[in-house]
Amino acid sequence: IESASKLTIQVLPQGQHIIEQAEDLDVPEIDPEDPSASQAVDLFRAMDKNQDGMVTRAEMLVAFRHNRQIADVLKMPPRIRLHDGTYDRFVAGFLSIDQVKLGTFGFNELCAYMGITPPEPSDEEGSSDEEAEDEEGEGESASRPLSPDL
């Protein structure tokens, strides 16, 4: 008589590749009102179903099912299947957006992934004010009264 032995395999949870502790990354703050971020705002709103300010993988998959163009814009496969390699490509793409690697990403991380950067502060205003003061001379600027706003 042969004895049957059981084989036990530990199955890791789906989030096995996600770390538990946030990394300190410099993700630039993007103003959602910035015209260059309008496409990112639309994408983020379409993906953030519960409107908590963060997008999970599940929310992203649901958004892809409702609108395949979202996947196209993010350069991800529109239909995700487990055994044809599209799931691995999806996870890799998600992790490239999720810079902190906590399983969710915010608006600023999406903008960074899409290459949207905050506008550079313009030096033209500051330099023209300084040039105007230099042209007036030091004596005149010292005798000018201060405005009450200062």
Side-chain angles (χ1 to χ4, degrees):
I1 300 175
E2 294 181 30
S3 65
S5 61
K6 292 182 180 180
L7 176 64
T8 305
I9 299 174
Q10 181 182 5
V11 178
L12 297 175
Q14 187 175 3
Q16 67 196 17
H17 57 277
I18 298 172
I19 61 171
E20 295 295 325
Q21 192 174 32
E23 298 175 16
D24 290 333
L25 296 176
D26 292 329
V27 179
E29 293 286 326
I30 306 293
D31 181 13
E33 301 297 323
D34 185 1
S36 67
S38 64
Q39 184 180 27
V41 169
D42 294 340
L43 288 174
F44 193 80
R45 285 183 183 150
M47 291 187 290
D48 186 17
K49 297 296 182 188
N50 62 0
Q51 299 178 348
D52 66 345
M54 301 301 282
V55 175
T56 64
R57 285 190 288 174
E59 288 176 317
M60 192 176 217
L61 287 170
V62 169
F64 286 3
R65 288 184 186 148
H66 289 298
N67 186 349
R68 290 186 182 185
Q69 291 178 343
I70 295 172
D72 292 339
V73 170
L74 297 176
K75 299 179 178 91
M76 293 198 194
R79 295 183 54 89
I80 312 296
R81 295 190 181 101
L82 188 58
H83 300 292
D84 66 354
T86 54
Y87 178 75
D88 294 332
R89 287 184 18 224
F90 166 73
V91 170
F94 183 88
L95 290 175
S96 63
I97 298 173
D98 178 19
Q99 296 180 6
V100 182
K101 308 293 186 247
L102 289 178
T104 60
F105 63 85
F107 177 71
N108 293 324
E109 290 173 288
L110 177 64
C111 288
Y113 174 79
M114 294 177 69
I116 300 169
T117 57
E120 295 293 324
S122 62
D123 290 337
E124 294 173 9
E125 293 177 10
S127 62
S128 63
D129 290 344
E130 290 174 8
E131 290 172 5
E133 287 179 11
D134 289 343
E135 291 173 4
E136 292 175 7
E138 289 181 39
E140 291 179 19
S141 63
S143 63
R144 196 176 343 166
L146 296 175
S147 67
D149 294 321
L150 298 176

